[in-house]
Amino acid sequence: MVDYNRTSLQPVTFLLLGIPGLEAAHIWISIPFFLVYLLSLMGNVALLLIVKIDHKLHEPMYFFLCMLSVADLMLTSSTLPKILSLFWFNDREIYFEACLTQMYLIHSLSTMESGFILAMAFDRYVAICRPLRHSTILTPEVIIDLGVLIVFRGAILLSPHPFLLRWLSYCKTNVISHTYCEFMALIKLVCSETKIRRAYSLIVAFLTGGLDFILIVCSYVLIVFTVFHLPSKAARLKTLSTCVSHVWVILVFYTPAFFSFLTHRFGHHIVPHIHIFIANIYLLIPPMMNPIIYGVKTKRIREGFFKLLTIQYAQLCKVCDSPDCQHG
């Protein structure tokens, strides 16, 4: 029996269904989910340590990449532990306030990720189209200001979302057909009129992710235009190679994001478990792939990774050679 507040039809708790139709396979689905989460944690923490240790990486692109890594860590850690608990222990229950908090974190952090990817595109634009002014335009103060602006944009624009859902009546059911709390999944449970709330969500999505993507495309149009005016083929290829990692990050982030957005609003005939898989890919894959992409494509990060392993190995050997370790 669903427990509702007396003052309104608001459930005390929601029940997360997981992946509809595949409940019996949750334990097997949890294996790749757990491995991806583990890789995300290890990869992003390693990336942050590498950039901190190697002063040669103290450049605007890598500072923005670190900001993206922090947002990735926060996003995955606000969702994956509960998803794994659901898969492993059938822990479906989530408190109403906790659900709204998770929903806010998912949407605000995703908006911040989009903003950091845009900032990285701006860095590439300045480095290629205005190379002589790169250091004067992207000063440490400007980098900090851009980072703070992106965080505040995500935090403020998405702050009405929990309040838009807080005072509604959920008279249909308290079962969420999803693995986590998400705005569109919650608003489908409401029995009152929600057109204004849906419109606000759509406008915010366009003003953040949609506008960011348009600006990124514009920056790369200008970059390509500049590159093709370079005198030699070798110079063109060398310049374009500095953008490869970032282009992959854009594709990895925006492709599942757009698919998830479109299926939520227009994919009414899509099989539910396909939709849920797409939504989870949007949360899982980009945080895992970002450090891998830059690790594979960036020589200095690769070298930093091996240097970090060497330091850790040396410290481990030092501990094992200590008298206490030998005595044990």
Side-chain angles (χ1 to χ4, degrees):
M1 184 176 177
V2 181
D3 186 14
Y4 286 95
N5 292 335
R6 292 181 181 179
T7 55
S8 64
L9 291 171
Q10 292 174 353
V12 175
T13 60
F14 285 113
L15 295 176
L16 294 166
L17 189 60
I19 302 177
L22 297 176
E23 289 87 353
H26 275 175
I27 193 68
W28 297 107
I29 296 169
S30 71
I31 296 171
F33 272 58
F34 173 70
L35 292 175
V36 169
Y37 180 44
L38 195 62
L39 285 171
S40 298
L41 291 178
M42 293 170 62
N44 284 290
V45 169
L47 183 62
L48 291 169
L49 290 173
I50 289 165
V51 174
K52 181 183 178 182
I53 292 169
D54 191 348
H55 292 281
K56 292 179 181 178
L57 293 173
H58 289 186
E59 298 176 2
M61 186 64 157
Y62 301 111
F63 286 137
F64 291 132
L65 181 60
C66 285
M67 295 176 196
L68 179 62
S69 287
V70 172
D72 285 342
L73 285 169
M74 293 177 68
L75 180 63
T76 53
S77 296
S78 66
T79 53
L80 263 296
K82 180 59 182 178
I83 293 173
L84 292 172
S85 178
L86 167 66
F87 287 163
W88 288 341
F89 311 113
N90 199 31
D91 181 19
R92 301 169 63 196
E93 193 172 79
I94 183 168
Y95 283 104
F96 181 69
E97 288 77 12
C99 189
L100 293 181
T101 302
Q102 187 187 63
M103 181 269 299
Y104 170 71
L105 288 173
I106 289 169
H107 291 295
S108 61
L109 289 167
S110 297
T111 300
M112 292 175 202
E113 286 177 329
S114 179
F116 293 134
I117 293 172
L118 172 61
M120 292 162 77
F122 178 65
D123 170 77
R124 289 299 82 207
Y125 163 75
V126 175
I128 293 170
C129 301
R130 300 286 186 273
L132 299 178
R133 298 184 61 196
H134 185 259
S135 59
T136 57
I137 292 174
L138 284 170
T139 61
E141 292 77 15
V142 170
I143 293 168
I144 292 170
D145 289 343
L146 279 174
V148 171
L149 181 64
I150 290 165
V151 170
F152 270 91
R153 184 191 69 159
I156 292 170
L157 281 180
L158 276 299
S159 59
H161 273 52
F163 299 101
L164 290 173
L165 297 174
R166 179 67 180 86
W167 309 111
L168 295 174
S169 295
Y170 298 83
C171 59
K172 292 181 180 179
T173 179
N174 74 327
V175 178
I176 302 172
S177 297
H178 214 303
T179 53
Y180 56 84
C181 294
E182 192 262 348
F183 185 83
M184 291 304 297
L186 281 171
I187 211 162
K188 288 176 182 177
L189 309 181
V190 175
C191 49
S192 54
E193 182 57 56
T194 59
K195 283 184 180 179
I196 294 175
R197 290 168 174 83
R198 288 172 184 263
Y200 177 78
S201 175
L202 197 62
I203 291 167
V204 169
F206 174 75
L207 290 177
T208 53
L211 188 59
D212 288 350
F213 184 73
I214 291 169
L215 292 173
I216 288 168
V217 170
C218 291
S219 70
Y220 270 95
V221 168
L222 294 171
I223 286 170
V224 170
F225 182 78
T226 301
V227 166
F228 278 98
H229 279 77
L230 293 175
S232 66
K233 183 179 179 181
R236 291 194 290 270
L237 290 174
K238 184 179 179 181
T239 304
L240 285 174
S241 68
T242 64
C243 301
V244 171
S245 297
H246 185 241
V247 170
W248 275 111
V249 168
I250 293 166
L251 293 174
V252 166
F253 179 80
Y254 283 103
T255 302
F258 283 136
F259 270 110
S260 181
F261 175 80
L262 292 172
T263 52
H264 249 315
R265 284 164 174 80
F266 309 111
H268 304 297
H269 302 294
I270 294 177
V271 180
H273 65 262
I274 297 297
H275 163 69
I276 303 302
F277 264 122
I278 293 172
N280 280 281
I281 286 170
Y282 168 54
L283 286 186
L284 287 167
I285 301 302
M288 179 191 73
M289 289 303 298
N290 292 340
I292 292 174
I293 289 168
Y294 272 90
V296 170
K297 294 290 183 180
T298 309
K299 183 181 178 182
R300 281 187 288 184
I301 291 180
R302 286 201 307 273
E303 291 173 348
F305 177 72
F306 290 119
K307 183 180 178 181
L308 186 64
L309 286 180
T310 304
I311 292 170
Q312 294 300 317
Y313 179 73
Q315 289 178 344
L316 182 63
C317 289
K318 188 176 180 181
V319 170
C320 289
D321 289 339
S322 65
D324 291 339
C325 185
Q326 290 176 359
H327 180 72

Coordinates of all heavy atoms in Angstrom, one line a residue, residues 50-98:
I50 N 47.1 13.4 -12.3 CA 48.1 13.7 -13.3 C 48.2 15.1 -13.6 O 49.4 15.7 -13.7 CB 47.7 12.9 -14.6 CG1 47.9 11.4 -14.4 CG2 48.6 13.3 -15.8 CD1 47.3 10.5 -15.4
V51 N 47.1 15.8 -13.8 CA 47.1 17.3 -14.1 C 47.7 18.0 -12.9 O 48.5 19.0 -13.1 CB 45.7 17.8 -14.5 CG1 45.8 19.3 -14.7 CG2 45.2 17.1 -15.8
K52 N 47.4 17.6 -11.7 CA 48.0 18.3 -10.5 C 49.5 18.1 -10.4 O 50.2 19.1 -10.1 CB 47.3 17.7 -9.3 CG 47.8 18.4 -8.0 CD 47.1 17.8 -6.8 CE 47.7 18.5 -5.5 NZ 47.1 17.9 -4.3
I53 N 50.0 16.9 -10.7 CA 51.4 16.6 -10.6 C 52.2 17.2 -11.7 O 53.3 17.8 -11.4 CB 51.6 15.1 -10.5 CG1 51.0 14.5 -9.3 CG2 53.1 14.8 -10.6 CD1 50.9 13.0 -9.3
D54 N 51.7 17.1 -12.9 CA 52.5 17.6 -14.1 C 52.2 19.1 -14.4 O 51.1 19.4 -14.9 CB 52.2 16.7 -15.3 CG 53.1 16.9 -16.5 OD1 53.9 17.9 -16.4 OD2 53.1 16.1 -17.4
H55 N 53.2 19.9 -14.1 CA 53.0 21.4 -14.4 C 52.9 21.7 -15.8 O 52.4 22.8 -16.2 CB 54.1 22.2 -13.7 CG 54.0 22.1 -12.2 ND1 53.2 22.8 -11.4 CD2 54.7 21.3 -11.3 CE1 53.3 22.6 -10.1 NE2 54.3 21.7 -10.0
K56 N 53.4 20.8 -16.7 CA 53.3 21.1 -18.1 C 51.8 21.0 -18.6 O 51.5 21.5 -19.7 CB 54.1 20.1 -18.9 CG 55.6 20.2 -18.7 CD 56.4 19.1 -19.5 CE 57.9 19.3 -19.3 NZ 58.6 18.2 -20.0
L57 N 51.0 20.4 -17.8 CA 49.6 20.2 -18.2 C 48.7 21.4 -17.6 O 47.5 21.3 -17.7 CB 49.0 18.9 -17.7 CG 49.6 17.6 -18.4 CD1 49.1 16.4 -17.7 CD2 49.2 17.6 -19.9
H58 N 49.4 22.3 -16.9 CA 48.6 23.4 -16.4 C 48.3 24.5 -17.4 O 48.8 25.6 -17.5 CB 49.4 24.1 -15.2 CG 49.5 23.2 -14.0 ND1 50.1 23.6 -12.8 CD2 49.1 21.9 -13.8 CE1 50.0 22.6 -11.9 NE2 49.4 21.6 -12.5
E59 N 47.4 24.0 -18.3 CA 46.9 24.8 -19.4 C 45.4 24.9 -19.4 O 44.8 24.0 -18.8 CB 47.4 24.2 -20.8 CG 48.9 24.2 -20.9 CD 49.3 23.5 -22.2 OE1 48.4 23.1 -23.0 OE2 50.5 23.3 -22.4
P60 N 44.8 25.9 -20.0 CA 43.3 26.1 -20.0 C 42.6 24.8 -20.4 O 41.6 24.4 -19.7 CB 43.1 27.2 -21.0 CG 44.3 28.0 -21.0 CD 45.4 27.0 -20.8
M61 N 43.0 24.1 -21.4 CA 42.3 22.9 -21.9 C 42.2 21.9 -20.8 O 41.1 21.3 -20.5 CB 43.0 22.3 -23.1 CG 42.2 21.2 -23.8 SD 40.6 21.7 -24.4 CE 40.3 20.5 -25.6
Y62 N 43.3 21.7 -20.1 CA 43.3 20.6 -19.1 C 42.7 21.1 -17.8 O 42.2 20.2 -17.0 CB 44.8 20.2 -18.9 CG 45.4 19.6 -20.1 CD1 46.4 20.3 -20.8 CD2 44.9 18.5 -20.7 CE1 46.9 19.9 -22.0 CE2 45.4 18.0 -21.9 CZ 46.5 18.7 -22.5 OH 47.0 18.2 -23.7
F63 N 42.7 22.4 -17.5 CA 41.9 22.9 -16.4 C 40.4 22.6 -16.6 O 39.7 22.2 -15.7 CB 42.2 24.3 -16.1 CG 43.6 24.6 -15.5 CD1 44.3 25.6 -16.0 CD2 44.0 23.8 -14.5 CE1 45.6 25.9 -15.4 CE2 45.3 24.0 -13.9 CZ 46.1 25.1 -14.4
F64 N 39.9 22.9 -17.8 CA 38.5 22.7 -18.1 C 38.2 21.2 -18.1 O 37.1 20.8 -17.7 CB 38.2 23.3 -19.5 CG 38.1 24.8 -19.5 CD1 38.8 25.5 -20.5 CD2 37.5 25.5 -18.5 CE1 38.8 26.9 -20.6 CE2 37.5 26.9 -18.5 CZ 38.1 27.6 -19.6
L65 N 39.2 20.4 -18.5 CA 39.0 18.9 -18.5 C 38.9 18.4 -17.1 O 38.1 17.5 -16.8 CB 40.2 18.3 -19.2 CG 40.2 16.7 -19.3 CD1 38.9 16.2 -20.0 CD2 41.4 16.2 -20.0
C66 N 39.7 19.0 -16.1 CA 39.6 18.7 -14.7 C 38.2 19.0 -14.1 O 37.6 18.3 -13.3 CB 40.7 19.4 -13.9 SG 42.3 18.6 -14.2
M67 N 37.7 20.2 -14.5 CA 36.4 20.6 -14.1 C 35.3 19.6 -14.6 O 34.4 19.2 -13.8 CB 36.0 22.0 -14.6 CG 36.9 23.1 -14.0 SD 36.5 24.7 -14.8 CE 38.0 25.7 -14.3
L68 N 35.5 19.2 -15.8 CA 34.6 18.2 -16.4 C 34.7 16.9 -15.6 O 33.7 16.2 -15.3 CB 34.9 17.9 -17.9 CG 34.1 16.9 -18.6 CD1 32.6 17.3 -18.7 CD2 34.6 16.7 -20.0
S69 N 35.9 16.5 -15.2 CA 36.1 15.2 -14.5 C 35.4 15.3 -13.1 O 34.8 14.3 -12.7 CB 37.6 15.0 -14.3 OG 38.2 14.5 -15.5
V70 N 35.5 16.5 -12.4 CA 34.9 16.6 -11.1 C 33.3 16.5 -11.3 O 32.7 15.8 -10.5 CB 35.2 18.0 -10.5 CG1 34.4 18.2 -9.3 CG2 36.7 18.0 -10.2
A71 N 32.8 17.1 -12.3 CA 31.3 17.0 -12.6 C 31.0 15.5 -12.9 O 29.9 15.0 -12.4 CB 30.9 17.9 -13.7
D72 N 31.8 14.8 -13.7 CA 31.6 13.4 -14.0 C 31.6 12.6 -12.7 O 30.7 11.7 -12.5 CB 32.7 12.9 -14.9 CG 32.5 13.4 -16.3 OD1 31.4 13.8 -16.7 OD2 33.5 13.3 -17.1
L73 N 32.5 12.8 -11.8 CA 32.6 12.0 -10.6 C 31.4 12.3 -9.7 O 30.8 11.3 -9.1 CB 33.8 12.4 -9.8 CG 35.2 11.9 -10.3 CD1 36.3 12.6 -9.6 CD2 35.2 10.4 -10.1
M74 N 30.9 13.5 -9.6 CA 29.7 13.9 -8.8 C 28.5 13.2 -9.4 O 27.6 12.7 -8.7 CB 29.6 15.4 -8.7 CG 30.7 16.0 -7.9 SD 30.6 17.8 -7.8 CE 29.1 18.0 -6.9
L75 N 28.4 13.3 -10.8 CA 27.2 12.8 -11.4 C 27.1 11.3 -11.3 O 26.0 10.8 -10.9 CB 27.3 13.1 -12.9 CG 26.1 12.6 -13.8 CD1 24.8 13.3 -13.3 CD2 26.3 12.9 -15.3
T76 N 28.1 10.5 -11.5 CA 28.1 9.1 -11.4 C 27.9 8.7 -9.9 O 27.2 7.7 -9.6 CB 29.4 8.4 -11.9 OG1 30.5 9.0 -11.3 CG2 29.5 8.6 -13.4
S77 N 28.5 9.4 -9.0 CA 28.4 9.0 -7.6 C 27.0 9.4 -7.0 O 26.6 8.9 -5.9 CB 29.5 9.7 -6.8 OG 30.7 9.2 -7.1
S78 N 26.3 10.2 -7.7 CA 24.9 10.6 -7.2 C 23.8 9.6 -7.7 O 22.7 9.7 -7.3 CB 24.5 12.0 -7.6 OG 24.4 12.1 -9.0
T79 N 24.2 8.8 -8.7 CA 23.3 7.8 -9.3 C 23.7 6.4 -9.2 O 22.8 5.5 -8.8 CB 23.1 8.2 -10.8 OG1 24.4 8.2 -11.4 CG2 22.4 9.5 -11.0
L80 N 24.9 6.0 -9.5 CA 25.3 4.6 -9.7 C 25.2 3.8 -8.4 O 24.8 2.7 -8.4 CB 26.7 4.5 -10.2 CG 26.8 4.3 -11.7 CD1 26.2 2.9 -12.1 CD2 26.1 5.4 -12.5
P81 N 25.6 4.4 -7.2 CA 25.4 3.6 -6.0 C 24.0 3.1 -5.7 O 23.8 2.0 -5.4 CB 25.9 4.5 -4.8 CG 26.9 5.4 -5.5 CD 26.3 5.6 -6.9
K82 N 23.0 4.0 -6.0 CA 21.6 3.6 -5.8 C 21.2 2.6 -6.9 O 20.4 1.7 -6.6 CB 20.7 4.9 -5.9 CG 19.2 4.6 -5.7 CD 18.9 3.9 -4.3 CE 17.5 3.6 -4.2 NZ 17.2 2.9 -2.9
I83 N 21.6 2.8 -8.1 CA 21.3 1.9 -9.2 C 21.9 0.5 -8.9 O 21.2 -0.5 -9.0 CB 21.8 2.4 -10.5 CG1 21.1 3.6 -11.0 CG2 21.7 1.3 -11.6 CD1 21.7 4.3 -12.2
L84 N 23.1 0.4 -8.4 CA 23.7 -0.9 -8.0 C 23.0 -1.5 -6.8 O 22.8 -2.7 -6.8 CB 25.2 -0.7 -7.8 CG 26.1 -0.3 -9.0 CD1 27.5 0.0 -8.5 CD2 26.1 -1.5 -10.0
S85 N 22.6 -0.7 -5.9 CA 21.8 -1.2 -4.7 C 20.5 -1.8 -5.2 O 20.1 -2.8 -4.7 CB 21.6 -0.1 -3.7 OG 20.8 -0.5 -2.6
L86 N 19.9 -1.2 -6.2 CA 18.6 -1.7 -6.8 C 18.9 -3.0 -7.4 O 18.1 -4.0 -7.3 CB 18.1 -0.6 -7.8 CG 17.0 -1.1 -8.7 CD1 15.7 -1.4 -7.9 CD2 16.7 0.0 -9.8
F87 N 19.9 -3.1 -8.2 CA 20.2 -4.3 -9.0 C 20.6 -5.5 -8.0 O 20.2 -6.6 -8.2 CB 21.3 -4.1 -10.0 CG 20.9 -3.3 -11.2 CD1 21.8 -2.7 -12.0 CD2 19.6 -3.1 -11.5 CE1 21.5 -1.9 -13.1 CE2 19.2 -2.4 -12.6 CZ 20.1 -1.8 -13.4
W88 N 21.5 -5.2 -7.0 CA 22.0 -6.2 -6.2 C 21.1 -6.7 -5.1 O 21.0 -7.8 -4.7 CB 23.3 -5.7 -5.6 CG 24.5 -5.7 -6.6 CD1 24.5 -6.3 -7.8 CD2 25.7 -4.9 -6.4 NE1 25.7 -6.0 -8.4 CE2 26.4 -5.1 -7.6 CE3 26.2 -4.1 -5.4 CZ2 27.7 -4.6 -7.8 CZ3 27.4 -3.5 -5.6 CH2 28.2 -3.7 -6.8
F89 N 20.4 -5.7 -4.4 CA 19.7 -6.0 -3.2 C 18.2 -5.7 -3.4 O 17.4 -5.8 -2.4 CB 20.2 -5.2 -2.0 CG 21.7 -5.3 -1.9 CD1 22.5 -4.1 -2.1 CD2 22.3 -6.5 -1.5 CE1 23.9 -4.2 -2.0 CE2 23.7 -6.5 -1.4 CZ 24.5 -5.4 -1.6
N90 N 17.7 -5.4 -4.6 CA 16.3 -5.1 -4.9 C 15.9 -3.9 -4.0 O 14.7 -3.9 -3.6 CB 15.4 -6.3 -4.7 CG 14.1 -6.1 -5.4 OD1 14.0 -5.5 -6.4 ND2 13.0 -6.7 -4.8
D91 N 16.8 -3.0 -3.8 CA 16.5 -1.8 -2.9 C 15.8 -0.7 -3.8 O 16.5 0.2 -4.2 CB 17.9 -1.3 -2.3 CG 17.7 -0.1 -1.4 OD1 16.5 0.1 -1.0 OD2 18.6 0.7 -1.2
R92 N 14.6 -0.9 -3.9 CA 13.8 -0.1 -4.9 C 13.4 1.2 -4.2 O 13.1 2.2 -4.9 CB 12.6 -0.8 -5.4 CG 12.9 -2.1 -6.1 CD 11.7 -3.0 -6.3 NE 10.7 -2.3 -7.2 CZ 9.4 -2.6 -7.3 NH1 8.9 -3.6 -6.6 NH2 8.7 -1.9 -8.1
E93 N 13.3 1.3 -2.9 CA 12.7 2.5 -2.2 C 13.6 3.7 -2.2 O 14.8 3.5 -1.9 CB 12.3 2.1 -0.8 CG 11.4 3.0 -0.1 CD 10.9 2.5 1.2 OE1 11.6 2.5 2.2 OE2 9.7 2.0 1.2
I94 N 13.1 4.8 -2.5 CA 13.8 6.1 -2.4 C 12.9 7.1 -1.8 O 11.7 7.3 -2.3 CB 14.4 6.5 -3.7 CG1 15.3 7.8 -3.5 CG2 13.4 6.7 -4.8 CD1 16.1 8.1 -4.7
Y95 N 13.3 7.9 -0.8 CA 12.4 8.9 -0.2 C 12.1 10.0 -1.2 O 12.9 10.3 -2.1 CB 13.1 9.5 1.0 CG 13.0 8.6 2.2 CD1 14.1 7.8 2.7 CD2 11.8 8.4 2.9 CE1 14.0 7.0 3.8 CE2 11.7 7.6 4.0 CZ 12.8 6.8 4.4 OH 12.7 6.0 5.5
F96 N 11.0 10.6 -1.1 CA 10.5 11.7 -2.0 C 11.5 12.8 -2.1 O 11.9 13.2 -3.2 CB 9.2 12.2 -1.4 CG 8.5 13.3 -2.3 CD1 8.1 13.0 -3.6 CD2 8.5 14.6 -1.9 CE1 7.5 13.9 -4.4 CE2 7.9 15.6 -2.7 CZ 7.4 15.2 -3.9
E97 N 12.0 13.3 -0.9 CA 13.0 14.4 -1.0 C 14.3 13.9 -1.6 O 15.0 14.7 -2.3 CB 13.3 14.9 0.5 CG 12.1 15.7 1.1 CD 11.0 14.8 1.5 OE1 11.2 13.6 1.6 OE2 9.9 15.3 1.8
A98 N 14.7 12.7 -1.3 CA 16.0 12.2 -1.9 C 15.8 12.0 -3.4 O 16.8 12.3 -4.1 CB 16.3 10.8 -1.3

